[in-house]
Amino acid sequence: MNRREDPRLLRGEGQYAGDIALPDALHLAFLRSPVACGQITHLETAQAEALPGVHAVLTAQTLGPMGVLEVNPALPLCDLPNFPILAASDIEAVGQPVAAVLATTVNQALDAVEMIEADIEETVAAPPRLAAMQHWQTGDTAAAFATAAHVVRVRNQHPRLAPSPMEPRAIAVLPEGGGLTVWLSTQTPHRARADLARILSLDPEHLRVIARDVGGAFGMKASLYPEEVLAVWAAHHLGRPVRWTATRSEEFLSATHGRGLTSEGQLAIDSEGRFLALKARVEAPLGHWLPNSALIPAWNAARILPGPYDIPATDLGTSARRAHTAPTGIYRGAGRPEACALMERLADAAARATGLDPAEIRRRNLHRVNGPRDLPAGQVEGADYATALDHLLRLADYPAWCARRDARRAKGALAGIGLGFYVEPSGKGWESARVTLEAGCATVEFGGSSQGHGRETALAQIAADALGLTPADITVLHGDTATCPAGIGALASRSTPIGASAVLEACREIIRRRDAGETGPITADTVYTAPGEAWGHGCYLAAIEVDRDTGAPHLTRMACLDDAGRLINPLLAKGQVMGGFAQGLGEAMMEALHFDDGQLLTGSFMDYAMPRAADLPPLTIHKTETIATTNALGAKGIGEAGTIGAPAAILNAALDALAPLGVTDLQMPLTSLSLWQAITNTSKG
Ligand code: SMO
């Protein structure tokens, strides 16, 4: 079934926050700090205020005290989070808002920003400081390392990434009848409402948050931003509609970044290639303020170790440190790619140490049983990963890939192949749905929301199937706190496993009541709490050639197998795999944010390379369906699959390609320069 959203979106009939007509709206623009650390010594707004069209110039003094944003306590915090809306005196990052202008047009607001006099005394930034840490341990790692036949070590430094959805952050606020309607480009409308109410001391009943169409988010819009709080404050206090749409430069500077984690692992292996013990340390960078999701990457990157492998002894630690940069938070994958890249590099290093084929050493260590499984961080849903690997290798004809690589090598090419086996835990918790059946049609009011990923299509299919109707009989509403029941939102691959399970359960209740004789319109309100996380899994296989003279990498071919439990819409699932793969390729081969002395050196698409269509190799997608036991629908997440498995496979393929030269370490992104340096720095190069 095609996406029912697409005709509307393709005709330009989408309703993004920037499309909302707000007559007489004031446009917001921000003066942002040009330095990473310092003190505001002088702030003069009179000249800006005198410009035509300028309605107000706001500073921290104008705003007064405000509440802070709640941070998901995935890890225990040992440093108090702050949430500056406008800098009071301390400057903590380049791009931090210092003052805000409200004017009749965007250009008047931008002109006025130029006229604000801000003197900032720059100071030397302190080193990153510890904000959170956690540790998990099982078995006797010391004994295992002491008796191991081999010990291998790996260190990964993930590039810091800009999530870069097509639609930047955008907000439009209408004060009306004592309340405020807020159109917001967000993954979490209900949470945004609760956060706004708490931070601004407003009655949540007087706030309505609407996320109609959202042009991508990828985790970057899962948390409320200072700029958005300011827009709502201004509309409330000035009694005027207010709107703000971030420029791409503002997104690079002040929206949440992803990845940037460092991981180190040691694996103890016996003479048969069995993994005996894993010791791993993860460190995640945090920015100058913490979005709701700030601690999730550090938590995920460690707590899902040892990934798909059974390892009797583990010693896992993670920590997160705050620095004078833009904030960091979840970005598609959110710690899972980091866990996967560490384990998969260790598995390949173990294969080299033991002389086993990379597929064979994985086969000997992958978990083999569907059902509950004990990880150091707790019991989770496991699956027969070894069979999934064999399935992919058979479907893709792995021996043929190896033979082709060996033939290319015999001709002098630097050719490699790499595997990346991943697990993808979806979110936990609850979502809600209200379903009304009336006269052969049904309305689904969904507590979650859509970030552009086809929720209306998938939910219509599920409701139609459960109610014995066709999808055309189903109306799906979401993303409006006034008309839809409460929900968490479109993040952590939770929309289908948990959100659609809520829809399914509501439909089942309606059928029970109808079959018991209830007549007329029947409405079922369901809050569905999943008994556990759904754990998807799969494997990516990459073939690469690296030009010996220039280091230019050429991904020649990719294949993958993804298991997302029960599949609702194969087209949506395929789109998720392809989109995630493209972003995974971006991390592996080209994307990277760089800072120097707190300054962002890569603040535009002139300096930050995103993959384009021509960069993508052919990808053959295979799928299996191992039904989840952790939700009513049996579904698992798939939205993050490609970002998790692909980088590990590509990195391993590049390491395989350069292994004949004696190269044992490469870091992402695998640019021509970095590969050329690796080639020329070896004696055999
Ligand atoms: S990185 Mo996702 O929006 O949980």
Side-chain angles (χ1 to χ4, degrees):
M1 184 178 156
N2 286 339
R3 282 165 42 109
R4 61 158 60 182
E5 294 89 341
D6 285 345
R8 184 180 82 242
L9 298 176
L10 292 171
R11 288 191 200 108
E13 292 163 5
Q15 284 268 294
Y16 299 90
D19 294 323
I20 303 302
L22 272 188
D24 298 326
L26 294 172
H27 292 262
L28 190 51
F30 293 92
L31 174 70
R32 295 177 180 276
S33 170
V35 301
C37 189
Q39 296 270 322
I40 301 172
T41 53
H42 174 72
L43 192 57
E44 176 55 59
T45 59
Q47 276 194 65
E49 278 161 11
L51 287 179
V54 173
H55 196 87
V57 181
L58 305 177
T59 65
Q61 276 67 38
T62 336
L63 298 181
M66 286 202 199
V68 297
L69 190 70
E70 268 182 10
V71 177
N72 184 326
L75 299 174
L77 264 176
C78 53
D79 183 16
L80 215 59
N82 62 345
F83 187 58
I85 307 299
L86 295 172
S89 63
D90 289 351
I91 294 291
E92 298 192 286
V94 169
Q96 180 177 0
V98 170
V101 174
L102 289 131
T104 308
T105 69
V106 177
N107 287 338
Q108 285 170 336
L110 291 170
D111 284 347
V113 163
E114 299 286 317
M115 298 304 289
I116 299 171
E117 287 173 30
D119 294 341
I120 298 171
E121 193 181 335
E122 193 172 359
T123 51
V124 178
R129 57 192 189 277
L130 188 69
M133 61 188 300
Q134 199 163 352
H135 194 252
W136 295 276
Q137 203 159 359
T138 56
D140 187 346
T141 47
F145 276 97
T147 59
H150 310 274
V151 173
V152 292
R153 293 177 178 80
V154 154
R155 181 178 182 278
N156 283 333
Q157 168 66 64
H158 287 257
R160 187 171 171 124
L161 303 179
S164 305
M166 273 200 283
E167 182 203 21
R169 287 172 291 165
I171 185 168
V173 193
L174 176 66
E176 208 179 21
L180 293 156
T181 301
V182 181
W183 288 269
L184 184 63
S185 188
T186 179
Q187 296 167 247
T188 53
H190 287 276
R191 191 161 77 198
R193 183 176 82 144
D195 287 339
L196 282 167
R198 201 184 53 256
I199 293 164
L200 296 173
S201 302
L202 297 170
D203 180 352
E205 293 301 312
H206 294 158
L207 274 172
R208 175 182 185 185
V209 175
I210 302 173
R212 184 73 190 92
D213 290 311
V214 173
F218 311 120
M220 197 205 87
K221 296 174 185 166
S223 180
L224 199 64
Y225 284 88
E227 293 94 332
E228 296 163 350
V229 174
L230 190 123
V232 178
W233 184 96
H236 180 57
H237 286 269
L238 304 177
R240 288 278 298 271
V242 170
R243 70 188 321 150
W244 176 66
T245 300
T247 63
R248 188 59 65 182
S249 298
E250 285 181 294
E251 296 304 71
F252 275 107
L253 270 179
S254 62
T256 54
H257 296 161
R259 311 284 193 273
L261 280 75
T262 310
S263 64
E264 288 182 30
Q266 291 180 47
L267 190 60
I269 310 135
D270 73 9
S271 57
E272 308 287 300
R274 290 205 173 73
F275 300 165
L276 302 174
L278 170 70
K279 189 168 181 203
R281 291 291 178 271
V282 172
E283 192 172 302
L286 301 174
H288 74 106
W289 64 273
L290 307 189
N292 181 287
S293 69
L295 302 173
I296 302 290
W299 175 64
N300 269 341
R303 66 109 187 178
I304 68 175
L305 291 172
Y309 302 102
D310 285 331
I311 305 184
T314 56
D315 174 348
L316 313 174
T318 189
S319 58
R321 288 174 184 275
R322 282 173 65 184
H324 287 273
T325 65
T328 63
I330 53 172
Y331 167 52
R332 200 172 190 173
R336 303 167 184 83
E338 294 90 331
C340 179
L342 185 66
M343 278 319 301
E344 292 305 276
R345 271 196 73 181
L346 285 167
D348 269 21
R352 273 189 289 278
T354 55
L356 290 168
D357 183 88
E360 176 56 26
I361 202 161
R362 284 174 173 79
R363 198 174 282 125
R364 290 184 190 185
N365 291 284
L366 285 167
H367 185 74
R368 289 191 168 270
V369 187
N370 294 319
R373 174 183 179 219
D374 287 317
L375 288 192
Q379 195 178 73
V380 302
E381 179 172 56
D384 184 350
Y385 304 133
T387 298
L389 173 69
D390 283 332
H391 205 63
L392 171 67
L393 297 182
R394 202 167 46 248
L395 290 169
D397 197 355
Y398 179 67
W401 289 50
C402 296
R404 196 178 303 114
R405 172 199 56 193
D406 296 344
R408 291 292 301 150
R409 273 186 186 166
K411 290 192 168 139
L414 296 174
I417 57 183
L419 284 165
F421 201 105
Y422 73 90
V423 289
E424 180 188 356
S426 313
K428 54 187 174 186
W430 60 278
E431 288 288 353
S432 64
R434 183 189 302 127
V435 179
T436 302
L437 178 68
E438 182 172 16
C441 287
T443 302
V444 174
E445 290 155 298
F446 182 51
S449 67
S450 185
Q451 52 178 305
H453 61 314
R455 292 306 83 203
E456 290 167 41
T457 304
L459 299 179
Q461 286 184 261
I462 289 158
D465 202 46
L467 296 171
L469 303 173
T470 68
D473 302 324
I474 314 290
T475 302
V476 178
L477 305 172
H478 61 78
D480 186 337
T481 61
T483 60
C484 295
I488 293 177
L491 71 160
S493 296
R494 57 184 293 112
S495 294
T496 304
I498 307 177
S501 285
V503 173
L504 178 66
E505 291 288 294
C507 293
R508 284 176 174 165
E509 184 193 322
I510 287 174
I511 295 297
R512 279 196 299 274
R513 283 162 53 187
R514 189 194 61 190
D515 291 351
E518 196 169 323
T519 55
I522 308 176
T523 295
D525 261 300
T526 299
V527 177
Y528 178 78
T529 303
E533 291 175 317
W535 282 59
H537 66 272
C539 191
Y540 280 69
L541 177 60
I544 203 168
E545 283 203 16
V546 180
D547 186 282
R548 197 182 285 271
D549 296 324
T550 65
H554 178 51
L555 263 184
T556 51
R557 201 177 166 198
M558 298 247 356
C560 67
L561 179 138
D562 300 286
D563 192 317
R566 192 184 305 286
L567 276 183
I568 309 307
N569 183 311
L571 182 73
L572 285 174
K574 186 180 170 198
Q576 287 284 10
V577 169
M578 292 176 72
F581 168 63
Q583 285 178 307
L585 182 148
E587 171 172 12
M589 303 189 71
M590 49 189 82
E591 295 183 46
L593 291 166
H594 293 286
F595 288 92
D596 183 15
D597 204 13
Q599 294 290 337
L600 181 63
L601 302 182
T602 46
S604 81
F605 286 129
M606 293 292 286
D607 319 294
Y608 183 90
M610 291 268 284
R612 288 164 283 189
D615 297 313
L616 300 185
L619 170 68
T620 310
I621 300 173
H622 304 285
K623 57 180 190 285
T624 52
E625 285 189 64
T626 307
I627 304 306
T629 54
T630 42
N631 59 74
L633 199 59
K636 304 176 180 182
I638 191 145
E640 305 177 78
T643 54
I644 309 170
I650 294 168
L651 182 56
N652 276 342
L655 283 160
D656 184 45
L658 302 194
L661 303 179
V663 172
T664 55
D665 184 39
L666 292 171
Q667 298 295 328
M668 300 185 284
L670 301 165
T671 61
S672 305
L673 176 62
S674 71
L675 292 166
W676 179 80
Q677 283 172 335
I679 292 167
T680 51
N681 285 343
T682 62
S683 53
K684 295 177 200 168

